[in-house]
Amino acid sequence: MKKNTFYIFTGCVAVALLAIFWYSVELHLPFVLEIAIIIGIGAIYFARRTVTDLIEDERSARITEKAAMRTMQVFWVVFCAFSIGAVMNMLYIPRFTRLPLSERPAEMLPPEILPPRSIGYIQLGLLCLMIFLYVGFRLYYARKYGDWETDEE
């Protein structure tokens, strides 16, 4: 298995674990998630052992460093913006109009864009998608710095 295929496999396992997490929360079955995490970690461990192109040199270390740095730079902006929006949604304080008591609506609730449960699921999904972002940057920098070229001296 190639290194980038392994990264994509890891991302798919993470997304599957997110779906299993949602399923186990909805049905109140925590043991399903516990078993799935053990199986997922085992699958990643055994897949890692089959990776054939794990040659660490200065170029691959540089590619890994650049990909990780760019992933964090992009991801923290997206994650921070979403989290700030979620907090603003939860902390919204409705403005009360100066209507007479008899004309006021029974409840003046803020408009709920996303329920808190959905916000948590979206944040977990964003964390899983960070793996795919890393793979994309890794592919980009591998092409830029020529990681797949063979230079035999």
Side-chain angles (χ1 to χ4, degrees):
M1 177 186 299
K2 298 284 187 184
K3 189 175 4 179
N4 289 330
T5 306
F6 169 72
Y7 292 141
I8 291 172
F9 173 75
T10 303
C12 290
V13 168
V15 170
L17 286 175
L18 177 64
I20 292 170
F21 172 75
W22 172 79
Y23 177 78
S24 66
V25 167
E26 289 296 320
L27 297 180
H28 304 290
L29 299 170
F31 68 90
V32 172
L33 180 63
E34 294 165 358
I35 292 170
I37 288 175
I38 292 170
I39 291 171
I41 290 173
I44 291 171
Y45 173 75
F46 287 117
R48 174 87 163 103
R49 294 180 70 187
T50 64
V51 175
T52 57
D53 60 343
L54 282 178
I55 301 170
E56 276 298 316
D57 58 353
E58 293 84 16
R59 182 173 40 191
S60 66
R62 175 82 172 151
I63 290 168
T64 301
E65 173 188 322
K66 292 284 275 182
M69 183 179 66
R70 291 290 181 244
T71 300
M72 292 307 294
Q73 286 174 342
V74 170
F75 183 74
W76 80 264
V77 171
V78 173
F79 194 74
C80 183
F82 180 79
S83 297
I84 288 172
V87 168
M88 292 295 292
N89 184 37
M90 286 190 253
L91 296 179
Y92 177 77
I93 299 173
R95 294 184 182 177
F96 296 104
T97 59
R98 297 185 180 261
L99 295 173
L101 223 47
S102 60
E103 296 178 16
R104 286 189 190 170
E107 246 179 276
M108 296 186 76
L109 292 177
E112 189 170 302
I113 298 170
L114 288 172
R117 177 180 258 178
S118 295
I119 292 170
Y121 289 142
I122 291 171
Q123 286 179 338
L124 285 173
L126 286 173
L127 287 172
C128 291
L129 291 176
M130 187 171 104
I131 296 170
F132 292 107
L133 184 63
Y134 174 76
V135 169
F137 278 122
R138 182 141 177 73
L139 290 170
Y140 171 76
Y141 284 112
R143 285 193 183 126
K144 182 176 178 180
Y145 292 117
D147 189 39
W148 293 310
E149 297 174 5
T150 59
D151 56 342
E152 298 179 17
E153 297 178 19

